[in-house]
Amino acid sequence: MAERNALSLGITSRNSLFCLFTIISILFILSWFFVLRSTGRPNFIDHNLLPNSKFLATSDDRGSATHSQNEVEPSTGNRSILVDAEEQEEETSQENEKIDVKCNTNDIEVAQQKENKVVLKVFMYDLPPEFHFGLLDWKAQGGSVWPDIRSKIPDYPGGLNLQHSIEYWLTLDLLASELPDAPNAPRSAIRVHNSSDADIIFVPFFSSLCYNRYSKADPRQRKSKNTLLQEKLVRFLTAQKEWKRSRGRDHLIVAHHPNSLLDARMKLWSAMFILSDFGRYPPNIANVDKDVIAPYKHVIGSNVNDSPDFDSRPTLLYFQGAIYRKDGGYIRQELFYLLKDEQDVHFAFGSVQKDGIKKATQGMHSSKFCLNIAGDTPSSNRLFDAIASRCVPVIISDNIELPYEDVLDYSQFCVFVRSSDALKEKFLINLIRNIGKDEWIRMWQKLKEVENFYEFQYPSKEGDAVQMIWQAVSRKVPAIRLKLNKYRRFSSNAVRSDRGVRSVPSPKNFC
């Protein structure tokens, strides 16, 4: 009996010790869990403040998309962020997996809806009319700086002048935002009259029009009107408190024509530029991080009544324009000799003279694919004429930068071909012939979905080129604020002198 009691007591003791050990172990593990959690990432982050992943969807998709031999290599000349070797290897492995990607047009719509809720506030200088509508022969009355756009809108000259008319449409849109009967459609930008309330400072200088009309000097003058106005603009801007406050970093200047603002760009380099491409800019003056690429205004008529009838377009591949170009445009003449004898290919010289625009309209509307080849600069209006024609663009321009490419996947409705591949015998024509009817119709449908993004009009409408450009500017604003806040860290401690007008220093390595 005593032995049984002793045995029972021993078992009970062992069970008690086991239970005690288990409880201590659990408490020990839980204590370490709470310690590790307390040193981890804080759980009070407001995820609504994080960048919208929709904007980055196309860049992520592009890394995993199906890439054929005709894709263009990324431009590095004016891109300040380069892909490192590991990222390139990862992209290569993803390319080999042949993962299909769908177009992100729904993402664009979502992004537009979110952006329209936050309107860009723009302060616009009241520059004298000689810098803007005065260049259109508009005469100011009663000391007014701006025309009354409710009664009469000054006409912009037609022809090729229209393709670089971006500053005209943006200025009209800001003036319209102040009208009491302004359209109720969502607006991407409004004008404010207190620069301290503004997200961006807009400079209403019609620089492209000024170059096109007034770049040649009068025989009796040493300098052209274009040069004189640029000099006056630099003096005006560098004297303004808004420019001094930020050294121009929050200023927006349109210089869409490649030769516009040629004399002033070196002195105004710190501002954000709206450009057609970076072909005639060194990367420390203009680059994809700082500046905005805007589309050309297409000069041929839109193909509004078109249907996705593959067989109703008899021409397979179309190009009409200047063939012999300088700089990177040498490829045009090389392609001319490769393609001129191909069946169902139209490759010919053309200009705006002698019904040139009418002929180009007919040719693009009746073609399945339209060539967009680098000329004197990487971009040309031909791409946007092709989009308006719903003629699938074939882009042969290795250094081209495209509008809204941070939210738009061009590979869904364009064919990209490296210049080195395009110059190979039969490469280009075989590539185009191998794109079947179903694939062409799919790309045609995408062109129809995006064509409104390239339409300039007054009054501006939701989702057109004017609103898309303002939204692209909005996406640059956070980076501008970051730079300004860093610049102001020690500005209160600095002793500043405001004696006279000081020129803005040129960036290092400028040539």
Side-chain angles (χ1 to χ4, degrees), residues 38-145:
S38 66
T39 59
R41 180 176 296 180
N43 57 3
F44 50 82
I45 294 177
D46 183 0
H47 293 280
N48 293 327
L49 298 178
L50 296 178
N52 184 1
S53 60
K54 298 292 185 182
F55 292 154
L56 305 179
T58 55
S59 61
D60 293 338
D61 289 344
R62 192 175 294 111
S64 59
T66 300
H67 289 270
S68 60
Q69 292 178 340
N70 60 331
E71 182 185 353
V72 113
E73 291 180 345
S75 163
T76 59
N78 289 75
R79 293 184 180 272
S80 61
I81 300 177
L82 304 182
V83 180
D84 60 27
E86 292 181 358
E87 289 176 339
Q88 288 180 341
E89 290 177 1
E90 181 180 354
E91 289 179 358
T92 303
S93 64
Q94 290 174 339
E95 290 170 3
N96 294 334
E97 291 174 2
K98 304 297 183 181
I99 301 175
D100 293 329
V101 173
K102 295 182 179 179
C103 187
N104 293 299
T105 52
N106 291 333
D107 291 346
I108 298 168
E109 293 174 1
V110 172
Q112 286 178 328
Q113 292 173 3
K114 291 186 177 182
E115 287 187 11
N116 285 331
K117 295 179 182 178
V118 181
V119 179
L120 183 72
K121 290 178 288 187
V122 183
F123 175 82
M124 180 167 65
Y125 287 119
D126 285 319
L127 283 172
E130 63 177 336
F131 288 99
H132 42 83
F133 289 101
L135 296 171
L136 294 170
D137 300 324
W138 173 75
K139 304 297 183 184
Q141 296 180 354
S144 175
V145 171

Side-chain angles (χ1 to χ4, degrees), residues 49 80 127 129 148 163 169 267 307 324 340 370 431 460 483 491:
L49 298 178
S80 61
L127 283 172
D148 184 358
Q163 63 182 337
W169 304 103
K267 300 175 183 177
S307 60
Y324 300 98
K340 64 184 181 67
C370 289
L431 175 69
S460 174
K483 292 177 181 178
S491 60

Side-chain angles (χ1 to χ4, degrees), residues 130 281 309 394 509:
E130 63 177 336
Y281 287 81
D309 189 349
V394 179
N509 302 325

Side-chain angles (χ1 to χ4, degrees), residues 321-435:
I323 295 176
Y324 300 98
R325 308 297 289 180
K326 56 186 177 182
D327 299 330
Y330 76 93
I331 190 175
R332 289 190 183 185
Q333 63 194 64
E334 298 296 329
L335 286 173
F336 170 73
Y337 295 119
L338 286 173
L339 298 173
K340 64 184 181 67
D341 296 325
E342 291 288 342
Q343 187 179 2
D344 59 17
V345 172
H346 176 91
F347 201 121
F349 174 82
S351 68
V352 296
Q353 300 176 350
K354 298 181 180 180
D355 295 329
I357 294 178
K358 182 179 179 180
K359 292 178 181 177
T361 300
Q362 295 172 345
M364 286 188 166
H365 286 191
S366 59
S367 300
K368 299 178 179 70
F369 297 90
C370 289
L371 278 169
N372 181 76
I373 315 170
D376 295 345
T377 60
S379 68
S380 77
N381 189 49
R382 195 167 285 101
L383 168 62
F384 308 100
D385 285 341
I387 293 174
S389 304
R390 297 178 191 165
C391 177
V392 175
V394 179
I395 299 176
I396 307 175
S397 181
D398 295 351
N399 296 318
I400 195 170
E401 297 289 349
L402 298 167
Y404 338 127
E405 199 171 7
D406 55 337
V407 296
L408 193 59
D409 185 0
Y410 279 80
S411 67
Q412 297 299 307
F413 53 90
C414 296
V415 178
F416 290 86
V417 184
R418 294 186 180 91
S419 298
S420 57
D421 290 334
L423 294 177
K424 295 176 183 176
E425 188 76 24
K426 296 292 183 180
F427 179 92
L428 180 60
I429 193 63
N430 289 339
L431 175 69
I432 300 303
R433 293 193 192 282
N434 285 330
I435 299 176

Side-chain angles (χ1 to χ4, degrees), residues 434-451:
N434 285 330
I435 299 176
K437 179 177 181 179
D438 292 341
E439 177 65 8
W440 182 86
I441 292 175
R442 185 194 65 77
M443 299 180 84
W444 181 95
Q445 293 285 0
K446 299 305 177 185
L447 284 172
K448 186 177 180 181
E449 292 176 14
V450 304
E451 62 184 352

